[in-house]
Amino acid sequence: METFGLKIIASDKVFYEGRCRNLVIPAPDGEKGILPNHENMVIAIAVGIARMEVEEGKWTEVAVGTGFAEIVNNRVTLLVDTAERPEDIDVRRAEEQRERAEEQMRQKQSIQEYYHTRASLARAMNRLRLAQDKKWNI
């Protein structure tokens, strides 16, 4: 099967750079699949779990933050706030982040603070979901 070039750039590092056979990314309106020779486009990325097939039948899941994907000439670049592998997630810290965000949601906030807290809660829940899924799949 053909491949395409994939580069995942998080705000603090280049998370992945190499070849990929298939990529599924979370978008605001659902998941989007990308295969080799995909049409050129830009796609918004929502907080969620991206899946990439680097080798045939071997999928890797990555917790990603908001950003966008650019597809040009059989090369895909993901520019995201965060990108984490399941084994890199500190479950206790993510649980504390979720609890803090839930407590802040119960308090009166400005609209800006509300959206910031909601985004923080979404990131924590996403990290916990990926970490818990991997714990049960061992």
Side-chain angles (χ1 to χ4, degrees):
M1 182 178 189
E2 292 183 54
T3 62
F4 57 89
L6 174 61
K7 188 172 189 177
I8 302 174
I9 305 169
S11 60
D12 59 342
K13 65 182 178 251
V14 174
F15 179 80
Y16 177 81
E17 187 169 8
R19 304 301 293 174
C20 186
R21 299 167 59 89
N22 192 350
L23 177 66
V24 179
I25 56 175
D29 58 344
E31 292 185 327
K32 305 292 183 193
I34 302 169
L35 293 170
N37 303 309
H38 194 284
E39 183 72 25
N40 294 345
M41 64 176 54
V42 175
I43 303 170
I45 297 176
V47 172
I49 298 172
R51 296 183 308 277
M52 55 187 198
E53 182 183 20
V54 177
E55 298 173 15
E56 187 172 352
K58 183 181 175 192
W59 289 85
T60 302
E61 292 184 319
V62 179
V64 295
T66 58
F68 68 91
E70 178 188 49
I71 307 166
V72 177
N73 297 330
N74 209 33
R75 288 189 307 270
V76 179
T77 303
L78 268 62
L79 185 59
V80 291
D81 292 334
T82 59
E84 295 178 281
R85 289 181 177 84
E87 58 269 15
D88 295 338
I89 295 173
D90 182 345
V91 176
R92 185 178 53 80
R93 192 170 138 242
E95 185 67 36
E96 289 171 359
Q97 180 187 10
R98 181 188 62 81
E99 290 171 2
R100 273 193 312 273
E102 286 176 343
E103 178 60 34
Q104 288 175 346
M105 292 291 281
R106 288 190 281 272
Q107 299 172 5
K108 187 173 182 176
Q109 300 178 343
S110 69
I111 296 295
Q112 183 178 3
E113 290 170 331
Y114 169 78
Y115 284 116
H116 180 75
T117 303
R118 193 172 81 173
S120 180
L121 180 60
R123 286 190 303 272
M125 296 298 290
N126 185 52
R127 295 171 76 220
L128 287 169
R129 184 174 66 232
L130 180 60
Q132 294 298 340
D133 286 349
K134 286 303 170 186
K135 188 167 108 176
W136 293 109
N137 288 336
I138 294 176

